[in-house]
Amino acid sequence: MARQTNTLFLEQWLRTNIGGISYSVSGHSSLSTSSSSARAIIQAWSEIRDSLQNQTFNPLILQSLKTLLNSQASLHVADPQAKLLLSVLSSRSYDLPSESYPILLRLLYIWVRKSFRPSTVLIDSAVDVLSHVFATEFGLKKSPSFLAEGILILGAISFVPSVSESSKIACSELLCRLLEEDYELVRLGEEIIPDVLAGIGYALSSSVDVHFVRVWDSLLGIWGKEDGPRSTVPTALMILHLVEWVVSGCIKSRSLKKIEAFSQQILGTSKASYVPFALVMVAAGVLRASRQAANGQGLEFVSRLRISAEDQIAFVAQQLISETKGFINSDNDPANSLLRQCLSLALARSGAVSFTAPVLLCLASALLREIFPLSYLYMQILQFIHSSRSEFDTNEIKRHLDSTLFKEAGVITGVFCNQYVSADDESKSLVESLIWDYCRDVYSGHRQVALLLRERNNELLVDLEKIAESAFLMVAVFALAVTKQRLNSNFSREIQREKSVQILVSFSCLEYFRRMRLPEYMDTIRRVVACVQENESACISFVESMPTYVDLTTWQDFSSKQKMGYEWSKDEVQTARVLFYVRVIPTCIERLPAHVFRRVVTPAMFLYMGHPNGKVARASHSMFVAFMSSGKDFKDERVSLKEQLVFYYMQRSLEGYPDITPFEGMASGVAALVRHLPAGSPATFYCIHSLVNKANNLLSDANALKADDWKNWQGGPEPCKKILELLSRLISLVDIQVLPTLMKSLAQLIIQLPKTGQTMVLNELYAQVAESDDVTRKPTLVSWLQSLSYLSSQAKMEVFTSKEREGKENSASSGTVEPQARL
């Protein structure tokens, strides 16, 4: 919070509190970075003095004034120099150019603010000169900067403690008249708004209160006039911090009369001329000031002031809700949009306030419509895509990303969640529905836009996703608040399960935007999954929210359906959502009936086993493993479904191997099915048969190549070697009824391998059997390996004999004699 004693130039302080948005000041910025040398400053004062003594206007005077202005950061204007400036202003010997008046007023303002104790006689003289200038010169030479500098110097003089009461009243009177009669000039030069507000702030902090309410009326009403300045978020933020500065000064000085008037006539009375956004920011400024004061001293009048401010915010929020009839997506009134933005920023900067339903609803509306306006942006982009325009203006989105509102999204989300925690059940349910509906809208909208923009405007898509990623963070934080409020003993298990399913579905919609490991997200997932997995109906409800096979594979209900070919595997937003389901469903699969798994999960599971992204495909195989491992009872329909699924699982896995199907995923699926199917199941035999056929096909392909790396095996084809490795591992897993078939098929495969390959596979099998402690199958395996080794050696001998015979025949036909024959 700003202390008045530490704020030399109030307009500069206001500029620093609007979130990095810069205001340039016309012609004579108080933030000017240029500076003149000490010699140039002395020369400038000398030229002004000479011109005044000669009673003639020298054009160089204007340049001298600009030289002084450019050094205002280090410039100190003493009483004699102020007297010189007043003499120039009041001289009738020459006509000053219009441009000189704002500079002269600015230099006088520097004198007033930097002087420790300016001469009261000189101050009174300055008031007379200013009154004369605005009575005779302003009407002919008025400009935005002239008005701003006049309001600034008048307010600054009224703020000086040592100035006479009559001079303060005269300054306040003139300031009010300028605001009431020439407010339209502020619209013509909006860069002067910080100066105008600073002048008002000084006047409100004056020790006299004759025009106190009148000044407030101008501050709160000027924005609603037809030709008045535009209402903007930067202006609103400056009003907030201006009021913070003023009220903190009143509290510190114990100006009880002013505080009482302010509380009753400004906060307690809703005049028709008061603009709602300004009222909200005024109330927020009061809350900031009162919070700081309350931390240091328990003043009763501060508590009353704070209550009045909270009531004012609630009143404006209620008016907004009534006018828009709640949360209505079609409300595109710019004034309501600004008010929602201001309400959210006001509450973000003023700290926690007491719960009221209108405030909670307004915050929800602001988050979903103003801070994360994805639905609106999707609509605009889709309209652009289907129109004849060649390029979409991305500046709107970039401006939003750079805005104070977006940068304070995290704080606003915190305020929103605090309001939610204190809300009644009806209000909680309402905002929950708004958030969950928003998640579904974002999923649908971004899915369309991402597919249509991917090849056209990737920069626009990147900016959109920055907003969406922040929206995901908001939803994650809110969902954690919901779990803490709803998933406890105060609510029935049915309600807890309903809320958990809603959160999971919403998370699935935004899974594409989860780019980091967020603690709030992980905590929420753990809580809601634990709640869902304990109840069958909750599991079914969650699983049935999964997109259907038709939804996954066709371009549904999009206006551009006829204009583009749809490839489900390139739909990244949809893929992320399905991946979420595939990861969560295994946690509750024990409670999931087999017929639901068959109808809802199976089509998507098999579809995404063929996804080119290995991570997605592996997750689908993990889903299959989870289902095969579930249900230990072999008497229900689940077993029948398991056996049925194996046939298509093997077809789907092997047709994509090795190009698409990840071996690790397929291996885990095969291991699961041989472990969990009933002994002697036909599905197990089919699995073995399919793997052997695939291995034979791969061996045939390798033999056709006749490559050297195939002959020495170590550099041989990895897909074939992996299938053999899998079959070798299965001898320890399959039941005894299947084992003979597996051993016979594996032996036939091994015999086909090159010599090196046979040796390596046999060595691995020997090691595997040696480590086994299965006393049932180990003797059988040992005998089988011995027979296999013998067959392998015989095959090698036959190959050697065949090659020797072929060599002799070749030698005889060529007339040569082998060395052995000569012996």
Side-chain angles (χ1 to χ4, degrees):
M1 189 193 79
R3 296 182 179 276
Q4 292 187 345
T5 54
N6 295 333
T7 308
L8 185 59
F9 295 122
L10 180 56
E11 73 282 4
Q12 290 186 11
W13 183 75
L14 292 177
R15 287 186 178 95
T16 63
N17 279 281
I18 57 177
I21 303 170
S22 62
Y23 267 94
S24 60
V25 183
S26 58
H28 47 275
S29 173
S30 62
L31 302 176
S32 176
T33 57
S34 61
S35 180
S36 304
S37 64
R39 177 175 296 180
I41 293 173
I42 295 172
Q43 181 66 28
W45 284 119
S46 177
E47 290 174 355
I48 295 172
R49 188 177 298 105
D50 291 343
S51 179
L52 187 63
Q53 290 175 350
N54 297 331
Q55 297 294 310
T56 58
F57 179 77
N58 188 336
L60 293 177
I61 288 184
L62 184 58
Q63 185 58 46
S64 299
L65 292 173
K66 290 180 179 179
T67 299
L68 296 174
L69 182 66
N70 290 336
S71 300
Q72 61 182 296
S74 58
L75 182 68
H76 182 83
V77 181
D79 285 356
Q81 295 159 329
K83 185 176 181 180
L84 178 62
L85 295 172
L86 290 172
S87 298
V88 172
L89 267 176
S90 59
S91 175
R92 299 182 181 179
S93 302
Y94 45 78
D95 185 31
L96 290 172
S98 301
E99 192 178 354
S100 63
Y101 284 98
I103 302 177
L104 287 165
L105 296 178
R106 170 64 67 164
L107 293 174
L108 287 172
Y109 169 67
I110 293 172
W111 162 59
V112 171
R113 292 300 294 154
K114 285 192 173 182
S115 295
F116 177 70
R117 185 172 295 175
S119 167
T120 55
V121 174
L122 199 54
I123 286 285
D124 290 339
S125 175
V127 173
D128 292 337
V129 170
L130 291 173
S131 299
H132 176 74
V133 166
F134 280 98
T136 60
E137 301 296 331
F138 182 71
L140 298 174
K141 301 175 180 178
K142 63 174 59 177
S143 66
S145 57
F146 197 165
L147 174 72
E149 297 302 332
I151 292 174
L152 195 58
I153 182 60
L154 291 170
I157 291 174
S158 68
F159 183 56
V160 177
S162 59
V163 174
S164 65
E165 184 173 324
S166 59
S167 292
K168 291 182 179 181
I169 294 174
C171 287
S172 297
E173 165 67 30
L174 182 53
L175 182 146
C176 290
R177 187 150 39 88
L178 290 173
L179 286 171
E180 292 163 358
E181 297 176 1
D182 298 290
Y183 61 86
E184 70 277 359
L185 291 175
V186 182
R187 186 181 185 89
L188 298 177
E190 294 186 355
E191 68 277 0
I192 67 170
I193 288 177
D195 302 309
V196 172
L197 290 177
I200 291 174
Y202 291 133
L204 290 172
S205 299
S206 173
S207 59
V208 298
D209 54 8
V210 176
H211 297 293
F212 184 71
V213 174
R214 188 179 172 189
V215 176
W216 276 112
D217 288 344
S218 294
L219 175 62
L220 291 170
I222 187 176
W223 320 102
K225 295 183 178 181
E226 184 176 354
D227 297 325
R230 290 188 312 117
S231 303
T232 64
V233 169
T235 296
L237 289 173
M238 285 190 286
I239 292 174
L240 184 156
H241 292 288
L242 171 70
V243 175
E244 174 195 2
W245 187 83
V246 171
V247 173
S248 64
C250 291
I251 293 174
K252 183 180 179 181
S253 62
R254 302 294 182 95
S255 301
L256 300 182
K257 186 177 179 181
K258 276 189 175 183
I259 292 175
E260 192 69 24
F262 175 73
S263 180
Q264 293 180 1
Q265 299 186 48
I266 307 302
L267 294 178
T269 303
S270 180
K271 296 182 181 180
S273 61
Y274 288 179
V275 180
F277 93 87
L279 268 176
V280 166
M281 303 316 271
V282 166
V286 170
L287 290 175
R288 280 181 65 90
S290 63
R291 184 182 63 191
Q292 294 293 334
N295 289 340
Q297 46 193 326
L299 302 176
E300 184 180 348
F301 71 87
V302 173
S303 299
R304 293 197 301 269
L305 190 62
R306 183 176 182 84
I307 292 172
S308 297
E310 290 191 8
D311 290 344
Q312 184 61 250
I313 290 176
F315 174 75
V316 174
Q318 179 61 61
Q319 280 190 319
L320 178 59
I321 295 298
S322 300
E323 182 177 340
T324 59
K325 298 179 181 178
F327 187 88
I328 298 183
N329 290 327
S330 59
D331 174 29
N332 296 318
D333 186 343
N336 290 338
S337 175
L338 174 68
L339 186 51
R340 282 190 288 266
Q341 295 178 49
C342 290
L343 272 165
S344 57
L345 284 170
L347 293 169
R349 296 204 175 190
S350 59
V353 296
S354 303
F355 160 76
T356 60
V359 169
L360 176 63
L361 290 177
C362 285
L363 282 171
S365 179
L367 283 167
L368 306 187
R369 288 180 54 82
E370 311 299 336
I371 302 172
F372 308 116
L374 291 170
S375 297
Y376 165 78
L377 293 173
Y378 294 148
M379 180 185 66
Q380 295 292 105
I381 292 170
L382 291 174
Q383 288 177 356
F384 148 73
I385 291 174
H386 302 314
S387 69
S388 58
R389 288 182 294 167
S390 60
E391 187 174 352
F392 183 82
D393 181 14
T394 60
N395 291 330
E396 179 182 2
I397 297 178
K398 292 188 180 297
R399 285 194 298 270
H400 184 73
L401 289 171
D402 291 334
S403 68
T404 302
L405 187 67
F406 184 74
K407 292 176 180 177
E408 298 202 15
V411 181
I412 296 170
T413 299
V415 175
F416 171 62
C417 290
N418 289 336
Q419 283 280 307
Y420 169 84
V421 168
S422 304
D424 55 83
D425 286 345
E426 182 180 357
S427 298
K428 285 179 178 176
S429 297
L430 180 55
V431 296
E432 286 167 10
S433 297
L434 294 175
I435 299 294
W436 311 148
D437 290 344
Y438 173 81
C439 293
R440 285 189 287 270
D441 291 342
V442 169
Y443 168 73
S444 176
H446 200 82
R447 186 181 168 209
Q448 297 179 60
V449 169
L451 286 167
L452 294 170
L453 285 183
R454 189 70 64 185
E455 305 299 330
R456 301 180 58 170
N457 194 331
N458 194 56
E459 181 184 2
L460 174 59
L461 192 57
V462 168
D463 288 341
L464 273 175
E465 291 182 358
K466 289 178 182 177
I467 299 176
E469 287 170 23
S470 295
F472 164 77
L473 298 179
M474 178 271 293
V475 172
V477 172
F478 174 73
L480 180 60
V482 174
T483 59
K484 290 180 177 179
Q485 292 297 304
R486 300 292 201 177
L487 272 60
N488 56 52
S489 58
N490 295 329
F491 295 91
S492 67
R493 300 299 294 175
E494 182 179 357
I495 291 178
Q496 293 182 44
R497 290 191 286 266
E498 177 189 352
K499 300 301 178 183
S500 296
V501 170
Q502 290 174 346
I503 291 172
L504 285 174
V505 174
S506 299
F507 277 179
S508 77
C509 292
L510 300 185
E511 177 68 10
Y512 177 72
F513 309 109
R514 183 171 68 90
R515 309 291 167 82
M516 64 179 71
R517 188 176 178 86
L518 192 67
E520 291 85 351
Y521 174 85
M522 301 306 299
D523 290 348
T524 304
I525 284 288
R526 280 191 288 268
R527 293 187 184 206
V528 297
V529 166
C531 184
V532 169
Q533 67 186 9
E534 66 185 20
N535 180 264
E536 180 178 304
S537 62
C539 292
I540 294 174
S541 177
F542 169 64
V543 170
E544 290 186 336
S545 68
M546 188 177 185
T548 66
Y549 183 83
V550 174
D551 292 335
L552 294 175
T553 55
T554 57
W555 189 245
Q556 292 290 316
D557 300 326
F558 298 160
S559 58
S560 61
K561 181 176 180 180
Q562 305 300 325
K563 300 179 182 179
M564 63 176 292
Y566 176 66
E567 296 182 49
W568 65 269
S569 60
K570 293 184 177 180
D571 191 341
E572 296 180 5
V573 180
Q574 176 178 268
T575 297
R577 187 180 187 196
V578 173
L579 187 58
F580 178 88
Y581 280 95
V582 168
R583 286 170 171 169
V584 174
I585 288 176
T587 65
C588 58
I589 206 162
E590 292 288 347
R591 298 276 187 180
L592 191 64
H595 69 275
V596 176
F597 186 86
R598 176 203 294 269
R599 175 172 54 85
V600 181
V601 181
T602 299
M605 178 182 72
F606 284 132
L607 176 67
Y608 280 84
M609 279 182 186
H611 197 283
N613 185 312
K615 179 177 68 174
V616 178
R618 281 191 295 273
S620 299
H621 284 276
S622 297
M623 169 81 82
F624 178 79
V625 170
F627 180 72
M628 297 304 295
S629 306
S630 67
K632 308 305 181 184
D633 187 358
F634 291 118
K635 297 179 181 180
D636 60 8
E637 62 175 331
R638 187 177 293 260
V639 176
S640 175
L641 178 58
K642 287 180 180 180
E643 292 187 310
Q644 294 172 38
L645 293 182
V646 167
F647 293 92
Y648 190 64
Y649 175 76
M650 295 309 302
Q651 294 174 24
R652 183 69 170 158
S653 298
L654 292 175
E655 72 182 5
Y657 181 79
D659 296 331
I660 294 177
T661 301
F663 175 76
E664 297 80 4
M666 181 176 67
S668 63
V670 169
L673 72 88
V674 299
R675 278 194 181 103
H676 299 287
L677 287 179
S681 171
T684 307
F685 284 100
Y686 179 78
C687 171
I688 302 300
H689 176 73
S690 300
L691 288 171
V692 171
N693 281 347
K694 185 67 175 181
N696 276 321
N697 293 335
L698 293 172
L699 282 172
S700 298
D701 294 341
N703 284 324
L705 293 175
K706 297 182 179 179
D708 291 337
D709 59 353
W710 165 240
K711 294 176 182 177
N712 63 34
W713 182 252
Q714 291 193 1
E718 284 297 320
C720 180
K721 293 166 69 174
K722 287 183 175 180
I723 293 287
L724 284 168
E725 178 186 347
L726 175 58
L727 287 168
S728 300
R729 292 209 305 261
L730 290 181
I731 63 173
S732 301
L733 300 177
V734 298
D735 63 88
I736 297 299
Q737 298 180 44
V738 181
L739 184 59
T741 300
L742 174 58
M743 291 191 297
K744 178 181 177 181
S745 300
L746 187 55
Q748 292 171 347
L749 282 174
I750 293 174
I751 295 300
Q752 298 179 53
L753 299 179
K755 176 182 177 182
T756 307
Q758 291 182 22
T759 303
M760 292 183 65
V761 172
L762 285 171
N763 288 339
E764 290 171 2
L765 285 170
Y766 271 116
Q768 182 178 331
V769 172
E771 294 174 359
S772 173
D773 55 2
D774 187 341
V775 295
T776 302
R777 69 180 70 201
K778 190 167 185 176
T780 304
L781 292 174
V782 170
S783 176
W784 170 70
L785 277 175
Q786 290 173 344
S787 301
L788 182 57
S789 297
Y790 174 75
L791 290 173
S792 176
S793 63
Q794 289 298 106
K796 295 173 192 173
M797 185 65 67
E798 290 178 8
V799 170
F800 176 79
T801 305
S802 174
K803 287 184 178 179
E804 184 180 23
R805 186 183 302 113
E806 181 181 350
K808 289 180 179 180
E809 290 174 354
N810 291 337
S811 298
S813 63
S814 61
T816 60
V817 181
E818 291 292 325
Q820 292 91 338
R822 286 197 294 266
L823 291 173

